[in-house]
Amino acid sequence: MYNPTEQLAELNKSNVEQATRLAAIALENTEKLMKLNLATARNAWAQSVESAQAVASVKDVQDLMALRTKLAEAQVQTAVGYSRHLYELATEAQAGYSALAEEAFGSYTKGMAAWVDKASKSAPAGSDVAVNAFKSTIAATTAEFDQFQKASKQVVSLADANVRAAAATASKAAKGRKAA
């Protein structure tokens, strides 16, 4: 027999589980970002100390110009490295959130289909048209979500390739200056 109270309780339980997973993903990603920023701050401090020591040991203008170029290249490499790590963290976070959203939508769709099936069994005679229209709407929504999901993955893949290419170009440019 159709019991809407049980279904509502199951839906609430599922929502709590999804909210808990969402919070866990957010905390995990925040922790990774904090670790990256702390490591970057430590690295920046170490580079500042090294730079100050190097500047203090400069003996002439030519050495100062060479040091200036070397320090600029190091800063570019550091910035590119930080950007690359930050992008990787963002990509991982996006993948985790997307997987959770896909799972939630899949669970919602299955739950909605089960609800429609149960409700249709206890529906009054002659309501077949409305039930079939509702089932058709759920199927169309699922198909649209799948298309959106595929398009989103293509956009993410394209953006990923572009960011990686830009990072590689920046690294090569900084290395090219060093060689010149």
Side-chain angles (χ1 to χ4, degrees):
M1 174 147 183
Y2 174 68
N3 187 347
T5 306
E6 287 178 17
Q7 282 193 313
L8 185 60
E10 287 176 26
L11 178 65
N12 285 338
K13 181 180 175 185
S14 174
N15 286 342
V16 168
E17 288 172 7
Q18 289 171 1
T20 302
R21 285 186 53 213
L22 180 65
I25 290 170
L27 285 173
E28 179 183 332
N29 289 314
T30 300
E31 182 180 353
K32 288 177 184 178
L33 181 60
M34 288 174 59
K35 285 180 180 179
L36 173 64
N37 286 337
L38 184 58
T40 301
R42 285 183 179 149
N43 187 30
W45 174 255
Q47 283 181 342
S48 295
V49 170
E50 283 180 29
S51 297
Q53 290 171 345
V55 168
S57 68
V58 168
K59 294 185 172 87
D60 61 22
V61 176
Q62 189 177 15
D63 286 347
L64 182 61
M65 290 302 151
L67 180 61
R68 187 182 127 230
T69 302
K70 180 182 173 188
L71 294 176
E73 290 168 358
Q75 289 175 348
V76 168
Q77 288 295 338
T78 300
V80 168
Y82 177 78
S83 297
R84 186 178 300 126
H85 287 300
L86 189 61
Y87 177 74
E88 288 170 1
L89 288 177
T91 301
E92 287 177 25
Q94 185 269 336
Y97 293 129
S98 292
L100 182 62
E102 289 172 19
E103 184 181 316
F105 187 77
S107 175
Y108 170 78
T109 303
K110 288 178 186 174
M112 186 60 76
W115 178 80
V116 169
D117 285 341
K118 287 180 183 179
S120 67
K121 290 177 183 173
S122 62
S127 61
D128 294 345
V129 172
V131 170
N132 287 336
F134 201 70
K135 286 181 180 180
S136 176
T137 301
I138 290 173
T141 302
T142 302
E144 287 299 319
F145 182 77
D146 289 342
Q147 287 298 322
F148 175 75
Q149 189 177 19
K150 288 177 187 174
S152 295
K153 286 180 180 179
Q154 288 176 345
V155 168
V156 167
S157 177
L158 181 62
D160 181 54
N162 287 338
V163 167
R164 290 186 190 279
T169 301
S171 290
K172 287 178 185 176
K175 288 178 184 176
R177 284 189 212 143
K178 186 183 265 187

